Each structure stands twice: as C-alpha cells, then as structure tokens.
Amino acid sequence: MLRRSETLELIARFGRHAVTDAIRAVLAEIRSRAGATPAATDADEFAIAQRVAARLIEDARPSLRAVFNLTGTVLHTNLGRAALPPEAIDAVARAASGACNLEYDLERGIRGDRDHHLEAQLCRLTGAEAATVVNNNAAAVLLVLNTLAMRREVPVSRGELIEIGGSFRLPDIMARAGCRLREVGTTNRTHRRDFEDAIGPKTALVMKVHCSNYAIEGFTAAVAEAELVRLCRERAVPLVVDLGSGALVDLRLLGLPHEPTPMESLKDGADIVTFSGDKLLGGPQAGIIVGREALVARIKRNPLKRALRVDKMTIAALSAVLGLYFDPDRLAQRLPALRVLVKKTEEIRASAVRVCPLVAASLQGIASVQVIDCESQIGSGALPAQRIPSAALSIRPLAGGRGSGTALKRLALAFRNLPVPVIGRAEAGALVMDLRCLEEDDETAFAAQLGELERSARREK
Ligand SMILES: *Cc1c(COP(=O)(O)O)cnc(C)c1O
C-alpha cells in the first residue's frame, strides 16, 4: 500500500506516520467487518487508498471551525460572539508570531506592566481614572468582589440576581469570591429605603447588575444609579456596576435602542464598572474593569489577577479595536459587530433575494425556499426585549405532513454538514436563515458550497 502512487501523495501531505496508521486502521476495519482478508488486486488497493484518504482528511479537519451564523442572534455566545476587524486580526498575528514588549518598558529598559497597553485607551474612552483587563467579564466580577468584599456583605437588589448562560450565576460567583450576598427588596420592586436598611458596618460595597438577558415589566421599581451613588457616598461604601454588554458608544446615534454605557455609569458616580470585551464592544473575549484609581490599584494587586490575566493576543486585538473608537464617524463601518447591527433591512432583503434562487436550485424537489421578513436580536444579553427588523430565507421541506419534523432536522443537518457549516433556526416547520450576518463579501463563498448541499440533502433523505 505504501508504494502506491495515491499513497505517496498522501504521505507528502500528511506524513508517513499518519498514513501508515490510517492504512492499518482501514485494513483492520475491513478484516473485522467481512471476516475476510482484503484481496491484493489493484482495484481493491485503490478502494482502500480512497478510504485512507477520506479518513486522513476527516482526521485533519480542525474541531474549531468557521461557520455561517444565520441564527439571527448577532452576538451569539455559542458561535463565538463578535467578529474582529482586520486591524485586530493583523495585530494578533504580529503579537503571536514573535517576541513583543508585553511586559517590557522600552523607554527604561526594565520590566513593564501588561495593562499599560490598554489602560490609557480605556481611560480616554470611558473617562475613568484607571483600568485593568482580565479574561472575561465573569472573571472581572469575581476579581472585583474578591478584592473589595472578601468576608463582607454585598447588598444586591433581588431583581438583579442574574443567571447568564454558561452557568454564570451571581449568587454563586459571590460565594466563590468569598463575600456574602445580602438580598435587597423584591423581584419586581426595590426602593432606596431597602438599601438604606441593608447597608451597615459589614457592608463592603453595593452592587448593581444590569438586567442583561431579561426584562422585568409591569408593577416595577428600581433605584436609579445616580440615587444609589448618593446613598453609597453618604454611607462611604463604593458602588460597583456590572454592565455586562457595556456598549462604548451611544447606540441611539446609530439608530439602535439604547444600551447603558460605562461612560454613563462613571458619570453617575459609580466607583467601579465591569463589562465584556466581546459583546457590544466588538472585540476579543475579555473582562474590562474601569473606575477609581485607588480601587483599581487594589484589584491589580490581588494574586487572583495573575490567574485571570489576558494574553498578548487579547491585548493586541483589544487595543486595535479600541483604536477604532477614536474615529467614531467610521466606527460602525469598520467594526464588524456594529456594521452587522446597523445594516439596513433593504440591504439584507437584497442579499436574501440574490441568494434565494441559488439555495432553491440546490434543494429542488427537497425543500421550497422563500424570502421572508424576520427580526434579529443583538444577543449576549444586550437589549433582550428589543428586536431589529431583518430579512431571511424560509426553507420548508417538501415532505410536509407526517414526518416533516424529521425532514426539517435532516435539512438542518445537511446545512451543518457543509464545508463551512450553516446554522439557522427552526421556526414553525421551516428552517429560517436570517441573512443579517451574511456579509456581502461572504455571499460567493456561501453560494459556492451549495452544490454540496444537494448531495448531502439527498444522502440524508
Ligand atoms: C455577559 C454578562 C456577564 C458575563 O460576561 P462574560 O464576558 O461572558 O464572562 C456578566 N454580567 C452580565 C450582566 C452580563 O451580561
């Protein structure tokens, strides 16, 4: 087998070791299944070589792969949240491919501070006195609480005791941070006097958490941030605000619904604000902590900071993304997360109209395809109750009637089996593909693989 010309090509591509292993595995499969010895005819050997090639290609395919996110949820946590702009990708490549001054002060020739690369940018953008960055916002909350509130009490409104997907539950984080949660008020209504009663000698800080993935509506009351700041000042305890998404621009200026910003919280007088790097900010996964210099200095000195610190690639990407914010006029065009969110419905519908006949042609006799109106959501807990109008392909299996549920599942699987898997959402018996996140540059790549879809869908049938 190792001397065949097909095998020699495989060896050039995958290496002798991997090819030998794959041949042994294929031969073992044939022997165990048929109870027979593979014959040594040329046709048999050729067939074996084909199987070996298929196996090597399958094994070499990375587990982490690019997909088309057509779910309609723009910042989808399961699909990797924000896409980075080319400026950030270049910066990551430069930082990753060699040595860099990650913790080195080039001017003085001595050890430097990795936060240094981001702190000035974050302070200029948010108006904070100081800033530091950790692995994600969950880590930011953990680190802030552990530093400022260990073995002491933290009052939080009962309406804000959040759970975010992926097992971030505020009460559990508090327990792990070593502080005691003091629940305040009720689920739907919390008043100033509730906080007044809760704050005492054991209180370390007051925490306010942005209701990022739910909305409490109806008979409700919450204490405004500025009011909470006044109370905290009177009682000399800091106010920590976990914003979650934390947009760094006023989204209303881009025609989107308002999402609280760290600038607003700091202006209200919050002492520490935490938010994510890969939600509405549109950068890499990171947790950003901004606020008073004395408090940030204590946070940086916590030994846990070392365990939660970011790497050079994150710093490179985040710094490049923050750089784009200094040119607000072009920000929404240059930052993919915002570009996709501000995309005009007509533009998305035009894309749907272009792609629809291609998808329909590749699913002839299998499914019907039409362009429909739909609604996208921002995702990652930003503005949970708000939807943005969009356009989609609605792909309905022709099987109809009985078994249409399985037909739909098979169709969804066929799309997931494409070289670049396509992820939509099932809705009322159809596979809905919101085209908001299909950027115009990607349409060709999307269309080019549809031939595979036909083969795959028929096979699945
Ligand atoms: C998303 C979110 C978090 C967790 O942030 P990660 O960056 O995913 O770790 C914490 N708090 C709030 C309010 C959030 O919305």
Side-chain angles (χ1 to χ4, degrees):
M1 280 303 299
L2 284 171
R3 279 197 295 270
R4 289 186 65 88
S5 64
E6 308 89 36
T7 314
L8 292 176
E9 276 169 35
L10 292 175
I11 290 174
R13 190 163 153 205
F14 296 101
R16 188 173 197 84
H17 193 88
V19 174
T20 313
D21 278 355
I23 293 172
R24 287 203 179 108
V26 168
L27 290 177
E29 263 170 30
I30 293 172
R31 286 189 188 108
S32 71
R33 206 163 299 157
T37 319
T41 67
D42 184 56
D44 277 351
E45 285 185 7
F46 181 75
I48 292 168
Q50 298 295 96
R51 277 177 67 171
V52 169
R55 191 185 182 96
L56 287 164
I57 289 166
E58 172 69 25
D59 285 354
R61 200 169 62 169
S63 167
L64 184 66
R65 289 153 63 198
V67 303
F68 284 112
N69 170 15
L70 305 189
T71 58
T73 301
V74 175
L75 297 167
H76 199 305
T77 299
N78 303 149
L79 301 180
R81 292 192 186 161
L84 294 178
E87 290 83 353
I89 294 163
D90 292 348
V92 169
R94 275 195 305 275
S97 55
C100 62
N101 62 334
L102 178 63
E103 285 185 355
Y104 188 76
D105 183 332
L106 287 173
E107 215 161 289
R108 296 154 70 199
I110 54 169
R111 185 180 200 282
D113 174 8
R114 70 175 64 207
D115 280 341
H116 170 82
H117 305 286
L118 295 165
E119 189 163 12
Q121 279 178 311
L122 284 168
C123 291
R124 264 177 70 196
L125 285 170
T126 63
E129 290 174 7
T132 182
V133 179
V134 287
N135 184 49
N136 56 21
N137 190 36
V141 173
L142 177 76
L143 183 63
V144 168
L145 289 172
N146 179 263
T147 310
L148 305 179
M150 194 152 77
R151 286 191 280 276
R152 295 173 69 198
E153 280 183 5
V154 178
V156 184
S157 163
R158 286 198 168 92
E160 297 175 358
L161 292 175
I162 55 164
E163 171 178 317
I164 311 224
S167 69
F168 176 93
R169 304 179 107 193
L170 198 64
D172 297 345
I173 296 276
M174 287 221 167
R176 289 289 166 160
C179 52
R180 270 196 309 283
L181 168 64
R182 170 96 189 236
E183 296 185 21
V184 173
T186 63
T187 307
N188 57 330
R189 291 172 72 83
T190 300
H191 307 280
R192 180 186 157 110
R193 63 174 182 276
D194 297 323
F195 279 103
E196 284 171 358
D197 293 346
I199 299 174
K202 291 186 197 140
T203 306
L205 55 90
V206 171
M207 184 153 186
K208 185 168 174 61
V209 186
H210 178 48
C211 308
S212 56
N213 51 0
Y214 64 102
I216 296 182
E217 284 171 25
F219 186 54
T220 63
V223 185
E225 200 168 80
E227 180 67 37
L228 211 47
V229 166
R230 272 195 292 278
L231 176 59
C232 289
R233 294 266 164 85
E234 280 166 25
R235 303 295 186 87
V237 291
L239 177 69
V240 171
V241 178
D242 173 23
L243 277 186
S245 216
L248 272 189
V249 281
D250 184 345
L251 293 185
R252 285 171 301 196
L253 298 176
L254 302 174
L256 292 166
H258 177 251
E259 172 78 12
T261 66
M263 295 77 97
E264 289 162 356
S265 293
L266 292 168
K267 215 167 182 185
D268 280 342
D271 299 283
I272 289 287
V273 182
T274 66
F275 53 101
S276 288
D278 55 352
K279 293 184 179 173
L280 279 169
L281 195 152
Q285 179 187 303
I288 299 165
I289 303 169
V290 294
R292 299 226 180 276
E293 187 157 21
L295 299 178
V296 173
R298 282 173 62 195
I299 290 165
K300 285 187 186 184
R301 281 197 304 269
N302 185 335
L304 265 185
K305 167 69 174 29
R306 173 66 177 77
L308 303 173
R309 75 182 184 188
V310 284
D311 73 328
K312 59 184 176 179
M313 291 189 274
T314 302
I315 292 173
L318 187 54
S319 180
V321 167
L322 293 176
L324 299 184
Y325 278 86
F326 292 100
D327 180 3
D329 296 338
R330 288 189 292 165
L331 178 68
Q333 280 319 306
R334 292 166 82 189
L335 197 59
L338 292 182
R339 181 168 66 230
V340 161
L341 285 171
V342 302
K343 218 196 253 184
K344 299 259 180 305
T345 321
E346 305 87 75
E347 203 182 315
I348 304 169
R349 195 172 297 116
S351 165
V353 167
R354 278 194 299 273
V355 171
C356 182
L358 306 173
V359 177
S362 60
L363 288 174
Q364 227 157 45
I366 298 167
S368 67
V369 188
Q370 69 184 115
V371 176
I372 58 163
D373 291 336
C374 72
E375 289 185 315
S376 317
Q377 53 183 31
I378 295 182
S380 279
L383 305 156
Q386 309 268 5
R387 295 283 187 278
I388 10 183
S390 182
L393 298 182
S394 168
I395 309 172
R396 197 172 289 278
L398 291 179
R402 251 175 348 111
S404 63
T406 20
L408 187 63
K409 280 193 183 132
R410 278 201 223 108
L411 191 62
L413 178 62
F415 274 99
R416 293 201 306 274
N417 277 338
L418 287 173
V420 182
V422 178
I423 323 283
R425 62 173 194 265
E427 210 173 84
L431 189 58
V432 173
M433 296 195 171
D434 184 333
L435 293 190
R436 173 174 294 279
C437 293
L438 183 68
E439 298 229 58
E440 208 172 329
D441 291 350
D442 293 332
E443 268 180 33
T444 321
F446 177 79
Q449 59 171 1
L450 291 174
E452 300 266 341
L453 181 65
E454 194 175 0
R455 277 191 290 285
S456 163
R458 294 209 189 276
R459 204 164 47 235
E460 296 298 338
K461 227 179 167 190

